[in-house]
Amino acid sequence: MPGNHFQISMRRLVIVTSLVGATALLSGCNAMKRLSEVGEAPKLSAIDNPTQSETYRPVSLPMPAPQVAESNPNSLWRSGARSFFKDQRANQVGDILTVVVDMQDSAALANTTARSRTNSEDLAVPNLFGLESEFTKVLPETINPSSMFDMDSATSNRGSGTLDRNEAIDLRVAAIVIQVLPNGNYVIHGRQEIRVNSEVREVQIAGVIRAADISSANEVEYDKIAEARISYGGRGTISDVQQPRYGSEIMDVILPF
């Protein structure tokens, strides 16, 4: 009897272990990370060099022909400078500038369509080289050559749609120049994390800017960023509650209705 109890306990342990392993495989690393933070506040990411990331790829864009800068040794003024003493704007890899995001975006769209169509087809063969009398030999006896074919059809379709969107974002994020392109444009990348209780708010900004668009206060507006990538989101207990469960997401993908 003790041996049977031991075997049953071992089977239960194997089943539980298998379920835990299957759950971990299905949920992925994100679920394991959340499990490791149970009872604790979300951990902030370490400050890393973005160019050392495995997903980092240097930016490659079409470049204009190189231009040789003119030197004025007898002049105190430097081309592109905002000051006689020193230009305080970011101008090389590792420099920091501020990205100002003040987005007031709204859109309204209304569309209505209506379509109708009516068709009518008639076909009669009262005379066909005298062969119209032979139709009854291959067709039902009630066939009438004067009204061989008669078809009517009608279709109607109506549709309407409305779109009303309003977005507002107001934030400032410090970014780092991570690459200087051959034409003098800068590739920037910035990330900011703020933890309040057990919720982390994360802001990421990346893109390409011109040196001329950097203001004297060392700031650049978001609408001056080419290939802009702006992300604002969160992770933690509140975001976890708002996120659909893995089973629901899988069902939403595979169910055809």
Side-chain angles (χ1 to χ4, degrees):
M1 292 297 293
N4 293 335
H5 287 295
F6 178 76
Q7 291 179 356
I8 293 175
S9 300
M10 290 300 296
R11 290 177 182 175
R12 291 179 178 175
L13 179 61
V14 171
I15 293 174
V16 172
T17 305
S18 301
L19 291 175
V20 173
T23 304
L25 290 175
L26 291 175
S27 59
C29 297
N30 189 28
M32 295 300 296
K33 183 177 181 181
R34 293 208 307 266
L35 288 175
S36 65
E37 295 178 349
V38 172
E40 300 180 0
K43 298 178 181 179
L44 298 178
S45 302
I47 299 176
D48 298 326
N49 184 354
T51 61
Q52 300 298 323
S53 174
E54 295 180 356
T55 59
Y56 174 76
R57 296 293 183 272
V59 176
S60 177
L61 297 174
M63 296 291 108
Q67 298 181 359
V68 180
E70 297 181 1
S71 176
N72 299 317
N74 297 326
S75 176
L76 296 177
W77 184 259
R78 293 183 293 116
S79 299
R82 297 296 182 92
S83 170
F84 278 107
F85 303 101
K86 186 178 180 181
D87 191 353
Q88 301 295 326
R89 301 176 303 170
N91 59 11
Q92 61 183 353
V93 175
D95 286 353
I96 298 176
L97 73 161
T98 302
V99 179
V100 180
V101 181
D102 186 6
M103 183 182 300
Q104 302 289 334
D105 191 11
S106 62
L109 177 66
N111 190 10
T112 302
T113 59
R115 184 181 67 176
S116 62
R117 180 176 180 178
T118 302
N119 296 326
S120 178
E121 300 290 343
D122 295 324
L123 177 63
V125 190
N127 295 291
L128 184 62
F129 305 106
L131 299 177
E132 64 275 4
S133 60
E134 301 293 331
F135 289 161
T136 56
K137 296 180 180 180
V138 294
L139 296 175
E141 296 181 357
T142 57
I143 190 69
N144 186 0
S146 62
S147 58
M148 292 279 295
F149 181 78
D150 188 3
M151 182 179 71
D152 295 327
S153 66
T155 59
S156 178
N157 185 13
R158 296 182 61 88
S160 62
T162 59
L163 174 64
D164 189 2
R165 178 171 55 86
N166 192 354
E167 298 174 349
I169 301 177
D170 186 6
L171 54 90
R172 302 163 66 90
V173 181
I176 300 175
V177 177
I178 60 175
Q179 186 179 353
V180 179
L181 299 178
N183 66 341
N185 290 341
Y186 305 147
V187 181
I188 62 173
H189 181 275
R191 183 173 65 184
Q192 182 184 84
E193 294 184 359
I194 302 174
R195 185 176 69 188
V196 180
N197 296 331
S198 296
E199 186 73 12
V200 173
R201 287 300 173 188
E202 184 178 40
V203 182
Q204 292 195 46
I205 293 179
V208 181
I209 63 172
R210 300 187 306 168
D213 290 331
I214 304 177
S215 68
S216 58
N218 199 33
E219 297 178 346
V220 63
E221 298 178 358
Y222 80 97
D223 55 356
K224 301 295 193 303
I225 303 177
E227 295 295 325
R229 302 294 186 268
I230 302 176
S231 173
Y232 180 79
R235 51 189 172 87
T237 55
I238 298 178
S239 299
D240 186 63
V241 172
Q242 295 176 337
Q243 180 71 21
R245 299 295 86 188
Y246 296 106
S248 298
E249 292 184 356
I250 293 174
M251 297 300 289
D252 289 340
V253 172
I254 63 176
L255 288 178
F257 48 83

